[in-house]
């Protein structure tokens, strides 16, 4: 049965390699595939490392880096309990190699801990942030191999190269894969788990089911937003075993159980790596009381107490009212359609077309249809869950889509008409050109239909465009073009302007009549400007921009 499935879902030369001796042209094609994989991942690595070198800390990164350093020194969970430790343990690999000086006498919040470590402890923030980002970059590249392997299992090597190209040129993946944050690692672990479940369906379930559970647990141990995928992946595990052992319900349920147990074990291990004694003290942070169905869910979770308290903190954050910004409109609360609209803005047009065509191919082509639940359902469930969230802060909450739908897009190559390959090649080339044109400003990317990166701030805010990443570039611009002029600054980010030589007061703290000269404003702050800042911007004119995320005005 496994051999039949494998043959059905891998058409072409790969499926009958043993039937005849490969021709010289076939051997050349086989050698070409790994070369193209290396080239695609190499350009992705260059893009991510370049971004990592040039960007100052984003809003979330100092917290994660300080937490990673605290793990290494104190060996316990204290900071940032709202996120599990695994992603920060990945960051900790780079932090350990950087050998930063950690002030043992410091006491303060997790936000001030990040600022203190980077700017007040004698460390070089450029160097420390680069080392912290490198392990995430390496992990992002490895997830590219998962995308390639998954698509190759479904539709062959050409489909796999197409999927990898879409992944490697995805502006969202490049942008967030080059930061010391948690979104890409969590999504990549989940994709790995689904791919391993598919491999279990093809054969060797005793090997692949536990590995799939460990990968799922790694996702859960990185971000709690992966929790809605747990029942989906357990069902896929049962489906994988049911396919191999039809009408054997016991085996199917056992497969789901194996995945669940391995996932829970992986979460526990991540906490034990940080602190073998599990010395979590809930008094170290404010943990809200959660009632009702959510409270019951938290109590039933078979995870460490620190994880369950982290869930309580997350539910507390969801209960808060956040401000959003969409197409020039500032609003309170959330909009259910925010993520789909933001994704349409921030995804290359050719990628959108191939995602759609790939999803249709998975559902319409008979030999691909068994893979549709594995590729499409987890992504759909996670997207639906993210759309119900209260924080409309960026497409990073749906960064799993460029991963799963890249695999789906590769399946377009399984459609028989010859023009399909030509059309796919043209669209991939369009995606590559669109992505390369935005280099090295991947975070504020938007596609050509919406004016490109320079116009993103007119439609979106926060991590979609301006996450504090361009403070260093701003310092260089002020020094090179506006030296000697009076500068005012409204900055939204995790950096400290004075460290980069920016001596600029906040114009909101003085009467408007005193504000003259150059006014530098983060686009996220400008998007939601009100009161005095809105008055200042209204009476100023834009004269320059930095990194498509900070606008300079003259007043």
């Amino acid at each position: 049965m496994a051999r039949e499935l494998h043959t059905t879902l891998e058409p072409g030369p790969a499926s009958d390699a043993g039937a005849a001796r490969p021709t010289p042209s076939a051997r050349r094609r086989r050698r070409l595939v790994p070369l193209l994989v290396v080239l695609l991942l190499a350009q992705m690595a260059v893009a991510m490392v370049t971004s990592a070198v040039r960007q100052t800390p984003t809003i979330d990164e100092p917290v994660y880096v300080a937490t990673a350093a605290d793990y290494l020194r104190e060996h316990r969970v204290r900071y940032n309990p709202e996120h599990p430790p695994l992603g920060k343990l990945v960051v900790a690999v780079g932090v350990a190699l950087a050998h930063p000086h950690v002030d043992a006498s410091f006491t303060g919040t997790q936000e001030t801990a990040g600022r203190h470590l980077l700017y007040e402890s004698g460390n070089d923030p450029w160097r420390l942030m680069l080392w912290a980002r490198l392990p995430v970059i390496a992990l992002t590249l490895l997830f590219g191999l998962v995308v390639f392997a998954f698509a190759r299992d479904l539709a062959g090597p050409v489909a796999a190269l197409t999927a990898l190209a879409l992944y490697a040129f995805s502006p969202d993946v490049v942008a967030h894969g080059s930061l010391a944050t948690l979104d890409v690692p969590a999504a990549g672990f989940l994709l790995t788990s689904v791919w391993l479940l598919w491999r279990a369906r093809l054969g060797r379930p005793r090997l692949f089911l536990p590995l799939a559970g460990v990968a799922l647990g790694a996702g859960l141990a990185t971000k709690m937003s992966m929790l809605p995928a747990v029942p989906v992946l357990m069902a896929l595990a049962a489906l994988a075993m049911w396919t191999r052992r039809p009408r054997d319900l016991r085996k199917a349920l056992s497969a789901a159980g194996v995945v669940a147990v391995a996932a829970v074990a992986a979460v526990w291990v991540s906490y034990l790596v940080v602190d073998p004694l599990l010395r979590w003290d809930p008094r170290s942070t404010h943990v809200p009381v959660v009632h009702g169905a959510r409270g019951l869910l938290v109590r039933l979770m078979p995870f460490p107490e620190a994880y369950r308290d982290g869930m309580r903190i997350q539910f507390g954050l969801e209960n808060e009212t956040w401000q959003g910004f969409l197409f020039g409109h500032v609003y309170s609360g959330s909009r259910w359609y925010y993520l789909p609209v933001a994704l349409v803005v921030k995804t290359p047009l050719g990628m959108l077309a191939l995602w759609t065509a790939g999803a249709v191919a998975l559902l319409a082509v008979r030999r691909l249809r068994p893979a549709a639940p594995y590729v499409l359902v987890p992504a759909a469930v996670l997207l639906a869950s993210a759309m119900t969230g209260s924080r409309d802060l960026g497409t990073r909450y749906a960064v799993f889509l460029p991963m799963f739908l890249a695999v789906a897009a590769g399946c377009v190559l399984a459609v028989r008409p010859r023009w399909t390959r030509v059309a796919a090649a043209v669209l991939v080339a369009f995606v590559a050109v669109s992505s390369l044109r935005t280099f090295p400003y991947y975070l504020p990317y938007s596609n050509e239909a919406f004016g490109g990166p320079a116009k993103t701030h007119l439609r979106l805010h926060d991590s979609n465009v301006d996450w504090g990443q361009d403070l260093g570039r701003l310092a260089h611009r002020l020094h090179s073009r506006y030296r000697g002029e009076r500068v005012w600054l409204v900055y939204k980010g995790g950096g400290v302007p004075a460290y980069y030589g920016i001596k600029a007061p906040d114009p909101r703290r003085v009467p408007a009549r005193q504000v003259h000269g150059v006014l530098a404003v983060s686009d996220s702050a400008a998007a939601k400007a009100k009161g005095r800042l809105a008055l200042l911007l209204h009476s100023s004119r834009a004269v320059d921009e930095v990194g498509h995320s900070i606008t300079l005005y003259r007043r």
Side-chain angles (χ1 to χ4, degrees):
M1 182 65 180
R3 183 181 297 274
E4 291 172 0
L5 278 169
H6 189 73
T7 303
T8 300
L9 289 163
E10 291 191 21
S15 62
D16 55 8
R21 188 173 182 177
T23 63
S25 62
R27 287 197 294 269
R28 284 195 296 270
R29 286 197 299 270
R30 288 184 179 181
R31 287 194 294 268
L32 183 61
V33 169
L35 175 61
L36 292 175
V37 169
V38 170
L39 289 175
L40 287 170
L41 292 179
Q43 75 79 29
M44 189 183 195
V46 170
M48 290 192 293
V49 171
T50 302
S51 297
V53 168
R54 297 183 182 181
Q55 293 184 152
T56 42
T58 60
I59 291 176
D60 288 356
E61 285 182 293
V63 173
Y64 299 147
V65 173
T67 303
D70 194 60
Y71 286 170
L72 293 170
R73 181 180 178 85
E74 301 296 332
H75 303 289
R76 63 185 301 175
V77 175
R78 296 195 305 172
Y79 299 133
N80 197 231
E82 62 267 32
H83 293 299
L86 183 57
K88 289 162 288 187
L89 286 172
V90 172
V91 172
V93 174
V95 173
L97 293 173
H99 302 291
H101 176 262
V102 179
D103 184 0
S105 65
F106 173 78
T107 57
T109 65
Q110 60 186 24
E111 291 79 15
T112 56
R115 185 165 59 249
H116 187 78
L117 176 68
L118 289 171
Y119 299 103
E120 300 168 5
S121 301
N123 297 308
D124 179 355
W126 289 107
R127 179 176 177 274
L128 180 53
M129 286 307 307
L130 175 60
W131 276 106
R133 289 164 172 168
L134 286 176
V136 180
I137 291 173
L139 201 57
T140 304
L141 295 172
L142 290 176
F143 292 144
L145 295 178
V146 174
V147 169
F148 176 86
F150 200 169
R152 182 168 185 166
D153 284 347
L154 298 182
V158 179
L161 288 171
T162 301
L164 179 59
L166 292 182
Y167 176 86
F169 287 115
S170 169
D172 265 351
V173 175
V174 172
H176 294 285
S178 60
L179 300 175
T181 53
L182 312 178
D183 302 287
V184 168
F189 284 132
L190 188 73
L191 176 74
T192 303
S193 179
V194 173
W195 169 59
L196 290 168
L197 289 175
W198 178 253
R199 296 298 300 174
R201 178 187 175 109
L202 297 181
R204 302 180 69 186
R206 291 185 178 180
L207 171 65
F208 290 114
L209 286 175
L211 291 177
V214 170
L216 172 59
L220 299 178
T222 302
K223 284 199 78 173
M224 295 173 187
S225 58
M226 299 295 107
L227 280 168
V230 172
V232 177
L233 267 64
M234 290 177 64
L236 291 177
L239 177 62
M241 185 56 72
W242 182 268
T243 302
R244 297 187 55 78
R245 299 283 185 88
R247 294 180 295 278
D248 193 337
L249 182 60
R250 184 178 62 85
K251 288 286 187 182
L253 294 177
S254 297
V258 166
V259 169
V261 169
V264 171
V267 173
W268 277 91
V269 168
S270 70
Y271 280 89
L272 290 169
V273 168
V274 176
D275 179 8
L277 301 178
L278 296 177
R279 296 166 295 172
W280 163 245
D281 183 2
R283 295 172 298 179
S284 62
T285 188
H286 173 65
V287 179
V289 178
V290 180
H291 300 286
R294 287 180 170 180
L296 177 62
L297 175 65
V298 171
R299 291 192 296 273
L300 292 177
M301 288 286 108
F303 297 134
E305 185 63 27
Y307 194 101
R308 296 201 300 273
D309 278 347
M311 291 181 66
R312 294 183 177 98
I313 295 172
Q314 287 289 353
F315 283 136
L317 293 172
E318 286 296 308
N319 289 333
E320 294 181 12
T321 299
W322 300 75
Q323 270 199 334
F325 176 82
L326 186 62
F327 279 75
H329 176 60
V330 180
Y331 57 89
S332 295
S334 60
R335 300 288 183 268
W336 67 266
Y337 51 82
Y338 171 85
L339 269 179
V341 171
L343 285 164
V344 169
V345 174
K346 289 187 63 64
T347 303
L349 296 172
M351 193 175 292
L352 289 171
L354 285 169
W355 284 1
T356 304
V360 171
L362 278 170
L363 296 171
V365 178
R366 183 177 180 181
R367 57 194 172 90
L368 294 175
R369 206 170 293 154
Y374 292 82
V375 179
L376 301 181
V377 175
V381 169
L382 286 177
L383 179 61
S385 174
M387 288 168 61
T388 64
S390 65
R391 287 167 279 185
D392 292 350
L393 300 178
T395 54
R396 65 189 180 92
Y397 290 98
V399 76
F400 50 83
L401 278 183
M403 300 182 183
F404 280 90
L405 294 186
V407 176
C411 294
V412 171
L413 277 298
V415 178
R416 289 301 182 187
R418 183 171 297 180
W419 61 263
T420 303
R421 292 198 173 195
V422 176
V426 170
L427 290 173
V428 169
F430 186 21
V431 170
V433 170
S434 183
S435 179
L436 293 173
R437 284 180 61 193
T438 200
F439 175 87
Y441 308 113
Y442 290 97
L443 204 63
Y445 174 86
S446 65
N447 61 47
E448 290 74 11
F450 295 95
K455 301 296 184 182
T456 311
H457 69 280
L458 300 176
R459 299 171 178 89
L460 300 166
H461 80 310
D462 207 82
S463 61
N464 285 315
V465 57
D466 163 35
W467 218 13
Q469 73 273 12
D470 285 321
L471 194 58
R473 291 188 177 110
L474 174 63
H476 181 267
R477 182 66 55 82
L478 293 174
H479 179 75
S480 61
R481 294 188 187 178
Y482 304 95
R483 184 185 302 181
E485 296 195 45
R486 182 64 186 271
V487 178
W488 305 82
L489 176 65
V490 179
Y491 168 68
K492 183 178 185 294
V496 174
Y499 177 85
Y500 303 95
I502 301 175
K503 298 178 180 179
D506 189 332
R508 296 169 295 184
R509 297 181 179 178
V510 300
R513 64 179 181 275
Q514 297 183 16
V515 181
H516 296 285
V518 177
L519 177 59
V521 183
S522 293
D523 286 337
S524 289
K528 299 190 292 184
K530 59 182 179 181
R532 183 169 295 178
L533 180 58
L535 176 64
L536 290 170
L537 294 180
H538 182 71
S539 56
S540 305
R541 60 185 176 89
V543 295
D544 204 351
E545 60 85 24
V546 177
H548 308 309
S549 74
I550 300 174
T551 301
L552 276 63
Y553 304 83
R554 188 170 292 281
R555 189 174 192 276

